[in-house]
mmCIF file of all heavy atoms in Angstrom:
data_model
loop_
_atom_site.group_PDB
_atom_site.id
_atom_site.type_symbol
_atom_site.label_atom_id
_atom_site.label_comp_id
_atom_site.label_asym_id
_atom_site.label_seq_id
_atom_site.Cartn_x
_atom_site.Cartn_y
_atom_site.Cartn_z
ATOM 1 N N ALA A 1 5.999 -0.661 -3.732
ATOM 2 C CA ALA A 1 6.926 -0.093 -2.812
ATOM 3 C C ALA A 1 8.206 -0.965 -2.530
ATOM 4 O O ALA A 1 9.183 -0.453 -2.085
ATOM 5 C CB ALA A 1 6.364 0.282 -1.525
ATOM 6 N N LYS A 2 8.068 -2.193 -2.852
ATOM 7 C CA LYS A 2 9.109 -3.190 -2.508
ATOM 8 C C LYS A 2 10.427 -2.832 -3.219
ATOM 9 O O LYS A 2 10.510 -2.648 -4.483
ATOM 10 C CB LYS A 2 8.627 -4.584 -2.808
ATOM 11 C CG LYS A 2 7.611 -5.060 -1.911
ATOM 12 C CD LYS A 2 7.093 -6.396 -2.238
ATOM 13 C CE LYS A 2 5.972 -6.912 -1.467
ATOM 14 N NZ LYS A 2 5.418 -8.328 -1.736
ATOM 15 N N GLY A 3 11.508 -2.835 -2.433
ATOM 16 C CA GLY A 3 12.794 -2.606 -2.992
ATOM 17 C C GLY A 3 13.181 -1.039 -3.071
ATOM 18 O O GLY A 3 14.341 -0.746 -3.283
ATOM 19 N N ARG A 4 12.185 -0.169 -2.896
ATOM 20 C CA ARG A 4 12.397 1.174 -2.903
ATOM 21 C C ARG A 4 11.971 1.941 -1.691
ATOM 22 O O ARG A 4 12.644 2.997 -1.287
ATOM 23 C CB ARG A 4 11.603 1.880 -4.113
ATOM 24 C CG ARG A 4 11.938 1.236 -5.395
ATOM 25 C CD ARG A 4 11.292 2.052 -6.542
ATOM 26 N NE ARG A 4 9.865 2.032 -6.492
ATOM 27 C CZ ARG A 4 9.113 3.090 -6.459
ATOM 28 N NH1 ARG A 4 9.682 4.309 -6.613
ATOM 29 N NH2 ARG A 4 7.792 2.973 -6.451
ATOM 30 N N PHE A 5 10.938 1.597 -1.001
ATOM 31 C CA PHE A 5 10.450 2.244 0.178
ATOM 32 C C PHE A 5 10.682 1.386 1.395
ATOM 33 O O PHE A 5 10.558 0.176 1.326
ATOM 34 C CB PHE A 5 8.999 2.422 0.165
ATOM 35 C CG PHE A 5 8.558 3.419 -1.061
ATOM 36 C CD1 PHE A 5 7.196 3.714 -1.224
ATOM 37 C CD2 PHE A 5 9.461 4.021 -1.867
ATOM 38 C CE1 PHE A 5 6.739 4.566 -2.224
ATOM 39 C CE2 PHE A 5 9.065 4.805 -2.873
ATOM 40 C CZ PHE A 5 7.675 5.145 -3.072
ATOM 41 N N THR A 6 10.972 2.021 2.441
ATOM 42 C CA THR A 6 11.287 1.309 3.784
ATOM 43 C C THR A 6 10.503 2.062 4.846
ATOM 44 O O THR A 6 10.659 3.266 5.078
ATOM 45 C CB THR A 6 12.814 1.330 4.058
ATOM 46 O OG1 THR A 6 13.537 0.665 3.044
ATOM 47 C CG2 THR A 6 12.991 0.553 5.429
ATOM 48 N N ILE A 7 9.662 1.245 5.627
ATOM 49 C CA ILE A 7 8.909 1.926 6.623
ATOM 50 C C ILE A 7 9.652 1.481 7.997
ATOM 51 O O ILE A 7 10.091 0.401 8.193
ATOM 52 C CB ILE A 7 7.369 1.380 6.604
ATOM 53 C CG1 ILE A 7 6.583 2.235 7.693
ATOM 54 C CG2 ILE A 7 7.273 -0.116 6.918
ATOM 55 C CD1 ILE A 7 5.139 2.025 7.665
ATOM 56 N N SER A 8 9.610 2.431 8.927
ATOM 57 C CA SER A 8 10.221 2.090 10.221
ATOM 58 C C SER A 8 9.421 3.010 11.273
ATOM 59 O O SER A 8 8.684 3.854 11.001
ATOM 60 C CB SER A 8 11.675 2.426 10.295
ATOM 61 O OG SER A 8 11.825 3.857 9.913
ATOM 62 N N ARG A 9 9.628 2.666 12.505
ATOM 63 C CA ARG A 9 8.962 3.432 13.537
ATOM 64 C C ARG A 9 9.912 3.567 14.770
ATOM 65 O O ARG A 9 10.651 2.693 15.064
ATOM 66 C CB ARG A 9 7.728 2.729 13.970
ATOM 67 C CG ARG A 9 7.769 1.338 14.607
ATOM 68 C CD ARG A 9 6.373 0.744 14.856
ATOM 69 N NE ARG A 9 5.603 1.424 15.775
ATOM 70 C CZ ARG A 9 4.206 1.164 15.931
ATOM 71 N NH1 ARG A 9 3.638 0.244 15.256
ATOM 72 N NH2 ARG A 9 3.513 1.780 16.970
ATOM 73 N N ASP A 10 9.611 4.536 15.501
ATOM 74 C CA ASP A 10 10.329 4.820 16.792
ATOM 75 C C ASP A 10 9.166 4.840 17.823
ATOM 76 O O ASP A 10 8.487 5.853 17.958
ATOM 77 C CB ASP A 10 11.045 6.191 16.752
ATOM 78 C CG ASP A 10 11.801 6.500 17.959
ATOM 79 O OD1 ASP A 10 11.550 5.957 19.075
ATOM 80 O OD2 ASP A 10 12.837 7.206 17.887
ATOM 81 N N ASN A 11 9.072 3.787 18.517
ATOM 82 C CA ASN A 11 7.999 3.696 19.517
ATOM 83 C C ASN A 11 8.013 4.716 20.616
ATOM 84 O O ASN A 11 7.126 5.135 21.163
ATOM 85 C CB ASN A 11 7.961 2.243 20.086
ATOM 86 C CG ASN A 11 7.494 1.271 19.092
ATOM 87 O OD1 ASN A 11 6.634 1.549 18.147
ATOM 88 N ND2 ASN A 11 7.928 -0.045 19.303
ATOM 89 N N ALA A 12 9.311 5.003 21.016
ATOM 90 C CA ALA A 12 9.473 6.007 22.177
ATOM 91 C C ALA A 12 8.921 7.388 21.701
ATOM 92 O O ALA A 12 8.547 8.141 22.483
ATOM 93 C CB ALA A 12 10.932 6.058 22.400
ATOM 94 N N LYS A 13 9.073 7.590 20.445
ATOM 95 C CA LYS A 13 8.594 8.883 19.894
ATOM 96 C C LYS A 13 7.173 8.866 19.246
ATOM 97 O O LYS A 13 6.656 9.783 18.818
ATOM 98 C CB LYS A 13 9.584 9.479 18.916
ATOM 99 C CG LYS A 13 10.908 9.690 19.433
ATOM 100 C CD LYS A 13 11.809 10.306 18.342
ATOM 101 C CE LYS A 13 13.146 10.720 18.909
ATOM 102 N NZ LYS A 13 14.127 11.319 17.830
ATOM 103 N N ASN A 14 6.581 7.656 19.158
ATOM 104 C CA ASN A 14 5.258 7.402 18.561
ATOM 105 C C ASN A 14 5.306 8.048 17.173
ATOM 106 O O ASN A 14 4.398 8.727 16.721
ATOM 107 C CB ASN A 14 4.213 8.179 19.325
ATOM 108 C CG ASN A 14 3.876 7.470 20.595
ATOM 109 O OD1 ASN A 14 3.803 6.126 20.568
ATOM 110 N ND2 ASN A 14 3.460 8.110 21.566
ATOM 111 N N THR A 15 6.366 7.693 16.424
ATOM 112 C CA THR A 15 6.587 8.291 15.077
ATOM 113 C C THR A 15 6.905 7.136 14.084
ATOM 114 O O THR A 15 7.637 6.194 14.462
ATOM 115 C CB THR A 15 7.678 9.267 15.147
ATOM 116 O OG1 THR A 15 7.326 10.355 16.001
ATOM 117 C CG2 THR A 15 7.949 9.805 13.701
ATOM 118 N N VAL A 16 6.400 7.235 12.935
ATOM 119 C CA VAL A 16 6.578 6.291 11.846
ATOM 120 C C VAL A 16 7.201 7.028 10.745
ATOM 121 O O VAL A 16 6.835 8.229 10.549
ATOM 122 C CB VAL A 16 5.327 5.565 11.458
ATOM 123 C CG1 VAL A 16 4.277 6.509 10.861
ATOM 124 C CG2 VAL A 16 5.635 4.467 10.491
ATOM 125 N N TYR A 17 8.173 6.338 10.032
ATOM 126 C CA TYR A 17 8.766 6.991 8.905
ATOM 127 C C TYR A 17 8.677 6.173 7.622
ATOM 128 O O TYR A 17 8.471 4.963 7.673
ATOM 129 C CB TYR A 17 10.344 7.032 9.222
ATOM 130 C CG TYR A 17 10.686 7.694 10.536
ATOM 131 C CD1 TYR A 17 10.791 7.050 11.676
ATOM 132 C CD2 TYR A 17 10.729 9.160 10.555
ATOM 133 C CE1 TYR A 17 11.117 7.599 12.867
ATOM 134 C CE2 TYR A 17 11.057 9.793 11.816
ATOM 135 C CZ TYR A 17 11.153 8.979 12.965
ATOM 136 O OH TYR A 17 11.464 9.638 14.185
ATOM 137 N N LEU A 18 8.662 6.860 6.592
ATOM 138 C CA LEU A 18 8.692 6.167 5.133
ATOM 139 C C LEU A 18 9.855 6.777 4.387
ATOM 140 O O LEU A 18 9.753 7.920 3.993
ATOM 141 C CB LEU A 18 7.365 6.376 4.445
ATOM 142 C CG LEU A 18 7.277 5.644 3.271
ATOM 143 C CD1 LEU A 18 7.240 4.144 3.550
ATOM 144 C CD2 LEU A 18 5.942 6.037 2.388
ATOM 145 N N GLN A 19 10.911 5.952 4.185
ATOM 146 C CA GLN A 19 11.984 6.385 3.465
ATOM 147 C C GLN A 19 11.683 5.925 1.916
ATOM 148 O O GLN A 19 11.514 4.703 1.770
ATOM 149 C CB GLN A 19 13.237 5.712 3.928
ATOM 150 C CG GLN A 19 14.502 6.023 3.060
ATOM 151 C CD GLN A 19 14.955 7.471 3.076
ATOM 152 O OE1 GLN A 19 15.026 8.076 4.269
ATOM 153 N NE2 GLN A 19 15.260 8.087 2.000
ATOM 154 N N MET A 20 11.729 6.805 1.091
ATOM 155 C CA MET A 20 11.362 6.648 -0.219
ATOM 156 C C MET A 20 12.507 6.927 -1.193
ATOM 157 O O MET A 20 13.070 7.996 -1.239
ATOM 158 C CB MET A 20 10.175 7.434 -0.754
ATOM 159 C CG MET A 20 8.872 7.224 0.207
ATOM 160 S SD MET A 20 7.508 8.103 -0.446
ATOM 161 C CE MET A 20 7.959 9.734 -0.292
ATOM 162 N N ASN A 21 13.081 5.882 -1.840
ATOM 163 C CA ASN A 21 14.228 6.106 -2.779
ATOM 164 C C ASN A 21 13.743 5.744 -4.123
ATOM 165 O O ASN A 21 12.768 5.056 -4.299
ATOM 166 C CB ASN A 21 15.357 5.122 -2.282
ATOM 167 C CG ASN A 21 15.828 5.322 -0.882
ATOM 168 O OD1 ASN A 21 15.843 6.535 -0.437
ATOM 169 N ND2 ASN A 21 16.242 4.393 -0.177
ATOM 170 N N SER A 22 14.677 6.080 -5.073
ATOM 171 C CA SER A 22 14.361 5.745 -6.451
ATOM 172 C C SER A 22 12.991 6.195 -6.923
ATOM 173 O O SER A 22 12.311 5.425 -7.525
ATOM 174 C CB SER A 22 14.653 4.397 -6.814
ATOM 175 O OG SER A 22 15.858 3.985 -6.389
ATOM 176 N N LEU A 23 12.543 7.405 -6.516
ATOM 177 C CA LEU A 23 11.216 7.836 -6.769
ATOM 178 C C LEU A 23 10.885 8.029 -8.267
ATOM 179 O O LEU A 23 11.787 8.346 -9.016
ATOM 180 C CB LEU A 23 10.966 9.121 -6.053
ATOM 181 C CG LEU A 23 10.766 9.098 -4.532
ATOM 182 C CD1 LEU A 23 10.910 10.294 -3.800
ATOM 183 C CD2 LEU A 23 9.359 8.484 -4.296
ATOM 184 N N LYS A 24 9.680 7.654 -8.570
ATOM 185 C CA LYS A 24 9.296 7.762 -10.007
ATOM 186 C C LYS A 24 8.057 8.726 -10.118
ATOM 187 O O LYS A 24 7.317 8.988 -9.104
ATOM 188 C CB LYS A 24 8.754 6.317 -10.438
ATOM 189 C CG LYS A 24 9.793 5.312 -10.256
ATOM 190 C CD LYS A 24 9.142 3.956 -10.533
ATOM 191 C CE LYS A 24 10.080 2.769 -10.368
ATOM 192 N NZ LYS A 24 9.561 1.449 -10.675
ATOM 193 N N PRO A 25 7.832 9.301 -11.193
ATOM 194 C CA PRO A 25 6.736 10.191 -11.408
ATOM 195 C C PRO A 25 5.431 9.601 -10.982
ATOM 196 O O PRO A 25 4.602 10.198 -10.403
ATOM 197 C CB PRO A 25 6.674 10.457 -12.884
ATOM 198 C CG PRO A 25 8.141 10.405 -13.326
ATOM 199 C CD PRO A 25 8.649 9.201 -12.531
ATOM 200 N N GLU A 26 5.231 8.251 -11.141
ATOM 201 C CA GLU A 26 4.030 7.627 -10.710
ATOM 202 C C GLU A 26 3.827 7.494 -9.208
ATOM 203 O O GLU A 26 2.768 7.074 -8.757
ATOM 204 C CB GLU A 26 3.828 6.247 -11.340
ATOM 205 C CG GLU A 26 5.116 5.389 -11.236
ATOM 206 C CD GLU A 26 5.918 5.391 -12.458
ATOM 207 O OE1 GLU A 26 6.209 6.475 -13.018
ATOM 208 O OE2 GLU A 26 6.544 4.331 -12.833
ATOM 209 N N ASP A 27 4.888 7.885 -8.530
ATOM 210 C CA ASP A 27 4.784 7.974 -6.987
ATOM 211 C C ASP A 27 4.093 9.252 -6.519
ATOM 212 O O ASP A 27 3.773 9.357 -5.354
ATOM 213 C CB ASP A 27 6.092 7.801 -6.417
ATOM 214 C CG ASP A 27 6.778 6.464 -6.613
ATOM 215 O OD1 ASP A 27 6.063 5.408 -6.536
ATOM 216 O OD2 ASP A 27 7.959 6.474 -6.882
ATOM 217 N N THR A 28 3.916 10.173 -7.517
ATOM 218 C CA THR A 28 3.267 11.388 -7.143
ATOM 219 C C THR A 28 1.868 11.219 -6.569
ATOM 220 O O THR A 28 0.982 10.510 -7.214
ATOM 221 C CB THR A 28 3.175 12.336 -8.482
ATOM 222 O OG1 THR A 28 4.481 12.652 -8.888
ATOM 223 C CG2 THR A 28 2.351 13.590 -8.074
ATOM 224 N N ALA A 29 1.602 11.762 -5.384
ATOM 225 C CA ALA A 29 0.420 11.425 -4.707
ATOM 226 C C ALA A 29 0.370 12.283 -3.410
ATOM 227 O O ALA A 29 1.356 12.776 -2.934
ATOM 228 C CB ALA A 29 0.103 9.992 -4.377
ATOM 229 N N VAL A 30 -0.795 12.301 -2.746
ATOM 230 C CA VAL A 30 -0.915 12.717 -1.443
ATOM 231 C C VAL A 30 -0.642 11.471 -0.523
ATOM 232 O O VAL A 30 -1.361 10.462 -0.691
ATOM 233 C CB VAL A 30 -2.218 13.413 -1.100
ATOM 234 C CG1 VAL A 30 -2.221 13.793 0.427
ATOM 235 C CG2 VAL A 30 -2.415 14.618 -1.964
ATOM 236 N N TYR A 31 0.309 11.491 0.419
ATOM 237 C CA TYR A 31 0.615 10.413 1.282
ATOM 238 C C TYR A 31 -0.007 10.624 2.645
ATOM 239 O O TYR A 31 0.155 11.720 3.251
ATOM 240 C CB TYR A 31 2.056 10.205 1.399
ATOM 241 C CG TYR A 31 2.656 9.620 0.219
ATOM 242 C CD1 TYR A 31 2.732 10.302 -1.100
ATOM 243 C CD2 TYR A 31 3.250 8.296 0.206
ATOM 244 C CE1 TYR A 31 3.256 9.759 -2.116
ATOM 245 C CE2 TYR A 31 3.650 7.675 -0.967
ATOM 246 C CZ TYR A 31 3.753 8.406 -2.161
ATOM 247 O OH TYR A 31 4.273 7.834 -3.284
ATOM 248 N N TYR A 32 -0.730 9.597 3.116
ATOM 249 C CA TYR A 32 -1.473 9.669 4.291
ATOM 250 C C TYR A 32 -0.968 8.713 5.365
ATOM 251 O O TYR A 32 -0.724 7.492 4.984
ATOM 252 C CB TYR A 32 -2.986 9.369 4.140
ATOM 253 C CG TYR A 32 -3.701 10.319 3.212
ATOM 254 C CD1 TYR A 32 -3.779 10.223 1.908
ATOM 255 C CD2 TYR A 32 -4.349 11.502 3.853
ATOM 256 C CE1 TYR A 32 -4.462 11.126 0.989
ATOM 257 C CE2 TYR A 32 -5.024 12.355 2.979
ATOM 258 C CZ TYR A 32 -5.069 12.245 1.687
ATOM 259 O OH TYR A 32 -5.753 13.142 0.894
ATOM 260 N N CYS A 33 -0.785 9.151 6.504
ATOM 261 C CA CYS A 33 -0.487 8.331 7.655
ATOM 262 C C CYS A 33 -1.768 7.745 8.282
ATOM 263 O O CYS A 33 -2.709 8.385 8.393
ATOM 264 C CB CYS A 33 0.365 9.130 8.762
ATOM 265 S SG CYS A 33 0.825 8.177 10.180
ATOM 266 N N ALA A 34 -1.702 6.458 8.622
ATOM 267 C CA ALA A 34 -2.839 5.808 9.235
ATOM 268 C C ALA A 34 -2.530 5.069 10.538
ATOM 269 O O ALA A 34 -1.359 4.644 10.643
ATOM 270 C CB ALA A 34 -3.539 4.927 8.205
ATOM 271 N N TYR A 35 -3.475 5.028 11.490
ATOM 272 C CA TYR A 35 -3.267 4.433 12.804
ATOM 273 C C TYR A 35 -4.234 3.440 13.070
ATOM 274 O O TYR A 35 -5.564 3.787 13.023
ATOM 275 C CB TYR A 35 -3.109 5.520 13.741
ATOM 276 C CG TYR A 35 -2.796 5.148 15.193
ATOM 277 C CD1 TYR A 35 -1.441 5.367 15.721
ATOM 278 C CD2 TYR A 35 -3.732 4.702 16.142
ATOM 279 C CE1 TYR A 35 -1.163 5.179 16.996
ATOM 280 C CE2 TYR A 35 -3.367 4.356 17.347
ATOM 281 C CZ TYR A 35 -2.068 4.621 17.821
ATOM 282 O OH TYR A 35 -1.753 4.229 19.050
ATOM 283 N N ARG A 36 -3.860 2.229 13.489
ATOM 284 C CA ARG A 36 -4.810 1.219 13.815
ATOM 285 C C ARG A 36 -4.651 0.936 15.267
ATOM 286 O O ARG A 36 -3.655 0.548 15.798
ATOM 287 C CB ARG A 36 -4.588 -0.029 12.977
ATOM 288 C CG ARG A 36 -5.613 -1.149 13.312
ATOM 289 C CD ARG A 36 -5.155 -2.370 12.558
ATOM 290 N NE ARG A 36 -6.139 -3.599 12.741
ATOM 291 C CZ ARG A 36 -5.976 -4.767 12.289
ATOM 292 N NH1 ARG A 36 -4.844 -5.087 11.668
ATOM 293 N NH2 ARG A 36 -6.958 -5.633 12.507
ATOM 294 N N VAL A 37 -5.737 1.190 16.063
ATOM 295 C CA VAL A 37 -5.716 0.889 17.513
ATOM 296 C C VAL A 37 -5.686 -0.566 17.732
ATOM 297 O O VAL A 37 -6.612 -1.334 17.313
ATOM 298 C CB VAL A 37 -6.922 1.481 18.188
ATOM 299 C CG1 VAL A 37 -6.902 1.163 19.662
ATOM 300 C CG2 VAL A 37 -6.924 3.035 18.035
ATOM 301 N N CYS A 38 -4.620 -1.119 18.387
ATOM 302 C CA CYS A 38 -4.608 -2.516 18.754
ATOM 303 C C CYS A 38 -4.142 -2.643 20.306
ATOM 304 O O CYS A 38 -3.190 -1.981 20.681
ATOM 305 C CB CYS A 38 -3.586 -3.229 17.988
ATOM 306 S SG CYS A 38 -3.921 -3.310 16.262
ATOM 307 N N SER A 39 -4.875 -3.214 20.992
ATOM 308 C CA SER A 39 -4.676 -3.313 22.496
ATOM 309 C C SER A 39 -3.817 -4.590 22.805
ATOM 310 O O SER A 39 -3.320 -4.665 23.871
ATOM 311 C CB SER A 39 -5.890 -3.232 23.346
ATOM 312 O OG SER A 39 -6.775 -4.363 22.960
ATOM 313 N N GLY A 40 -3.657 -5.525 21.894
ATOM 314 C CA GLY A 40 -2.977 -6.714 22.128
ATOM 315 C C GLY A 40 -1.732 -6.806 21.348
ATOM 316 O O GLY A 40 -1.420 -5.925 20.559
ATOM 317 N N LEU A 41 -0.987 -7.874 21.443
ATOM 318 C CA LEU A 41 0.331 -8.036 20.769
ATOM 319 C C LEU A 41 0.216 -8.718 19.518
ATOM 320 O O LEU A 41 1.187 -8.787 18.727
ATOM 321 C CB LEU A 41 1.236 -8.863 21.724
ATOM 322 C CG LEU A 41 1.513 -8.254 23.098
ATOM 323 C CD1 LEU A 41 2.517 -9.151 23.947
ATOM 324 C CD2 LEU A 41 2.126 -6.868 22.917
ATOM 325 N N GLY A 42 -0.953 -9.129 19.103
ATOM 326 C CA GLY A 42 -1.123 -9.945 17.920
ATOM 327 C C GLY A 42 -1.618 -9.173 16.726
ATOM 328 O O GLY A 42 -1.925 -9.867 15.670
ATOM 329 N N CYS A 43 -1.606 -7.821 16.727
ATOM 330 C CA CYS A 43 -2.151 -7.200 15.593
ATOM 331 C C CYS A 43 -1.133 -7.164 14.383
ATOM 332 O O CYS A 43 0.109 -6.849 14.581
ATOM 333 C CB CYS A 43 -2.372 -5.616 15.908
ATOM 334 S SG CYS A 43 -3.867 -5.502 16.936
ATOM 335 N N ARG A 44 -1.719 -7.489 13.220
ATOM 336 C CA ARG A 44 -0.874 -7.585 12.112
ATOM 337 C C ARG A 44 -1.133 -6.367 11.275
ATOM 338 O O ARG A 44 -2.176 -5.693 11.328
ATOM 339 C CB ARG A 44 -1.241 -8.839 11.366
ATOM 340 C CG ARG A 44 -0.803 -10.062 11.923
ATOM 341 C CD ARG A 44 -1.270 -11.315 11.225
ATOM 342 N NE ARG A 44 -0.962 -12.604 11.888
ATOM 343 C CZ ARG A 44 -1.067 -13.790 11.322
ATOM 344 N NH1 ARG A 44 -1.585 -13.872 10.074
ATOM 345 N NH2 ARG A 44 -0.795 -14.957 11.948
ATOM 346 N N VAL A 45 -0.255 -6.130 10.351
ATOM 347 C CA VAL A 45 -0.438 -5.010 9.457
ATOM 348 C C VAL A 45 -1.542 -5.325 8.436
ATOM 349 O O VAL A 45 -1.579 -6.403 7.982
ATOM 350 C CB VAL A 45 0.915 -4.733 8.607
ATOM 351 C CG1 VAL A 45 0.712 -3.640 7.594
ATOM 352 C CG2 VAL A 45 1.999 -4.310 9.643
#
């Protein structure tokens, strides 16, 4: 995904986005959103 996809989020809307550019046939797939519950500030991706 590096160089082609950009992830971003709007915390006020609880929404995450995935901007996908320069798409290739091998990007064909079902894309799933996932959510990790973190109660602290130190959670990493």
Side-chain angles (χ1 to χ4, degrees):
K2 290 179 180 177
R4 300 188 300 127
F5 296 180
T6 302
I7 188 170
S8 61
R9 68 188 287 172
D10 184 333
N11 289 333
K13 296 181 178 179
N14 286 325
T15 299
V16 65
Y17 306 96
L18 185 67
Q19 177 66 44
M20 304 186 294
N21 299 326
S22 302
L23 283 161
K24 305 174 183 180
E26 50 264 44
D27 294 317
T28 295
V30 177
Y31 283 71
Y32 296 91
C33 178
Y35 185 98
R36 182 185 184 189
V37 176
C38 295
S39 58
L41 302 179
C43 285
R44 297 181 178 181
V45 175

